Amino acid sequence: MSAATPSTVADRDTDPADRAAIRAMRVDLAAAYRLIHRLGLDDSIDTHISARLPGAGHRFLINPYGMRFEEVSPENLVTVDIDGKVLEDPMGLGINPAGFTIHSAIHAARHDAICVLHTHTVAGVAVSCQEEGLLPLNQWSMQFTGRVAYHAYEGIALDLDERERLVADLGDKPVMVLRNHGLLTCGRTVGEAFRLMHNMERSCRAQLAIQAAGAPVIRPSSAVATKTAGQYAAGYDRVVVQGAPDNEWAAFKRMLARTDPDFFANG
């Protein structure tokens, strides 16, 4: 598997000006899958990360259903449209129907949600089951003050009519806790969605550790939590809006190059 993605049938129908951007998107999305595995945040063949392709129309990339995350490459990603029609499926495995329900809803409603990342980690699921949800107890979690949405569990997300409620609950937030289910982040880039999830996961782990310790807890003021959230938001905007280098995402990809040299062999 390599990062040198050949021109696919779906991509050849795209304006040539977009092809370089599509290749970069494929590489970044496949990298996110590998990194989620590398950090132990995957769940067998379940959960999903999707990315909207540049160019005309609504086309998205998502993982082939049946492959573990460490097997995902730029070449084997599935291309699907907003109605769930598979446009290209190199492995012939199709996609996870629940993944399409969640991701298509958000991509259709949120123009800024270029990448949608969903996990079922032990820490994320545990916090999703707590009545208060994510608590602003530390620097990681305070960045999400006023930025987290919640969606009630309705069963496995196979019913398309749930999409309307998902979108309504998400609103304009970049992060959503799926009650009794897991976590979800929306990024204006793949790197942003990944970084948000990495910080959400650490926030959940820290919260559970604090609660398990049973010691008295220092709770920062709401003013401090709000200030911290603004500082983090400004940092994300410097990368996405102002074009500053995304040094953290680049560093994660360098780690991937060391752990999965085959992925970048011909990149």
Side-chain angles (χ1 to χ4, degrees):
M1 290 185 254
S2 75
T5 307
S7 177
T8 65
V9 173
D11 292 352
R12 284 199 298 270
D13 293 336
T14 302
D15 189 308
D18 292 322
R19 289 179 186 166
I22 289 173
R23 177 184 177 278
M25 181 70 76
R26 284 181 171 274
V27 171
D28 269 6
L29 183 59
Y33 275 102
R34 295 275 187 121
L35 288 164
I36 288 293
H37 166 72
R38 176 74 176 77
L39 296 176
L41 309 185
D42 52 352
D43 178 17
S44 184
I45 63 171
D46 297 309
T47 76
H48 353 272
I49 316 170
S50 62
R52 179 191 290 116
L53 286 168
H58 292 284
R59 298 185 302 143
F60 315 98
L61 296 172
I62 198 166
N63 55 315
Y65 191 39
M67 300 189 76
R68 288 184 58 86
F69 281 19
E70 72 267 32
E71 298 178 292
V72 174
S73 73
E75 295 89 348
N76 61 34
L77 288 163
V78 178
T79 306
V80 61
D81 70 13
I82 195 66
D83 297 316
K85 179 182 177 182
V86 173
L87 304 177
E88 185 174 37
D89 183 2
M91 305 301 293
L93 294 173
I95 63 172
N96 185 332
F100 172 74
T101 299
I102 295 170
H103 291 246
S104 64
I106 297 170
H107 281 303
R110 289 273 299 270
H111 179 73
D112 62 319
I114 300 299
C115 179
V116 179
L117 199 165
H118 173 44
T119 61
H120 301 158
T121 64
V122 172
V125 171
V127 169
S128 80
C129 297
Q130 295 186 359
E131 186 174 356
E132 289 188 273
L134 184 69
L135 301 173
L137 299 177
N138 56 71
Q139 183 167 275
W140 290 327
S141 58
M142 281 188 282
Q143 74 173 284
F144 298 111
T145 301
R147 306 185 78 208
V148 181
Y150 291 85
H151 175 67
Y153 188 66
E154 300 185 20
I156 298 173
L158 298 174
D159 299 328
L160 293 180
D161 63 0
E162 186 180 352
R163 294 190 292 184
E164 183 178 345
R165 294 182 292 278
L166 272 166
V167 168
D169 288 337
L170 178 62
D172 62 355
K173 302 291 194 297
V175 174
M176 184 156 69
V177 174
L178 301 167
R179 292 289 195 183
N180 311 98
H181 183 175
L183 307 176
L184 182 143
T185 61
C186 303
R188 294 166 291 182
T189 65
V190 174
E192 183 176 59
F194 175 83
R195 290 165 59 205
L196 286 167
M197 184 59 73
H198 184 234
N199 284 330
M200 273 293 289
E201 173 67 18
R202 293 190 293 177
S203 299
C204 291
R205 291 184 184 184
Q207 179 168 319
L208 296 176
I210 291 165
Q211 292 169 330
V217 176
I218 299 172
R219 293 208 177 206
S221 69
S222 59
V224 167
T226 300
K227 175 183 177 181
T228 303
Q231 291 172 321
Y232 268 96
Y236 288 115
D237 284 346
R238 276 194 293 273
V239 172
V240 179
V241 178
Q242 300 171 27
D246 191 340
N247 293 327
E248 185 175 9
W249 178 235
F252 270 113
K253 289 203 290 185
R254 288 196 302 273
M255 181 180 76
L256 180 63
R258 294 191 296 272
T259 60
D260 294 47
D262 66 302
F263 185 81
F264 291 100
N266 299 310

